[in-house]
Amino acid sequence: MWKNYIHSISKEYNFRDPAVESEITQIKEELNVELPEKLLGLYDETNGVFDRFDDSLIWSTQQIVEENLFYRNDEEYKNIFMPFDHLLFFAPAGNGDLFGYAILNGHIQKDDIYVWDHEDDSRRWIASSLEEFIKGWITSEISI
């Protein structure tokens, strides 16, 4: 479903082998959060989505763990930004901003996607679902 959906919008993206259970488990264990159903479904098909330059539309599971741990644990960032443990980042904007889901009471409760602005530390709603985010970002209907 996800590969076909993305290719229906643009043929410019490439896919990897599906994520394996241990990679999904690592996200759960390292970040203490369950992936939302739609993102989990995407990882069942491909471990990330990349353009021809190997830039991420959607990070691999390994990159999700690495990037989220960095933002949550970096001592310098703790002194200049609000905490990041209430967000699960899954994609870069290419300018330093990041896209993610809100974590409420330890769970991702809604499909809404937010953007974190690295310049002013704001967190703003941009899409009501992963599908809307992917389509909007690829077609530039979503801009930041």
Side-chain angles (χ1 to χ4, degrees), residues 128-143:
S128 63
S129 67
L130 186 59
E131 298 99 306
E132 185 181 306
F133 164 74
I134 288 171
K135 181 179 183 215
W137 192 240
I138 289 173
T139 63
S140 300
E141 292 171 21
I142 293 175
S143 61

Side-chain angles (χ1 to χ4, degrees), residues 14-143:
N14 304 301
F15 308 102
R16 306 262 166 88
D17 290 336
V20 296
E21 187 61 34
S22 63
E23 292 167 320
I24 301 300
T25 300
Q26 183 181 15
I27 292 172
K28 294 176 191 176
E29 291 175 355
E30 296 279 342
L31 303 177
N32 199 30
V33 67
E34 298 276 338
L35 289 178
E37 187 176 315
K38 291 179 181 182
L39 189 58
L40 188 57
L42 184 138
Y43 287 124
D44 283 342
E45 290 185 41
T46 178
N47 195 347
V49 180
F50 306 89
D51 68 14
R52 67 178 187 253
F53 303 107
D54 212 29
D55 291 327
S56 300
L57 173 66
I58 306 291
W59 285 333
S60 69
T61 54
Q62 179 182 353
Q63 204 165 5
I64 281 185
V65 170
E66 290 172 1
E67 296 290 343
N68 280 274
L69 286 176
F70 171 79
Y71 283 95
R72 292 178 184 187
N73 297 321
D74 185 87
E75 288 301 321
E76 185 176 320
Y77 279 23
K78 286 181 179 183
N79 292 321
I80 58 175
F81 296 120
M82 290 185 286
F84 293 104
D85 54 355
H86 69 283
L87 293 168
L88 177 70
F89 295 126
F90 66 88
N95 66 351
D97 296 350
L98 300 173
F99 299 109
Y101 289 94
I103 301 171
L104 301 171
N105 295 322
H107 298 91
I108 296 171
Q109 299 177 9
K110 299 188 299 182
D111 289 332
D112 294 334
I113 308 296
Y114 297 84
V115 62
W116 168 67
D117 186 311
H118 75 285
E119 292 181 5
D120 65 11
D121 196 27
S122 64
R123 292 103 197 272
R124 181 173 47 93
W125 178 91
I126 57 156
S128 63
S129 67
L130 186 59
E131 298 99 306
E132 185 181 306
F133 164 74
I134 288 171
K135 181 179 183 215
W137 192 240
I138 289 173
T139 63
S140 300
E141 292 171 21
I142 293 175
S143 61

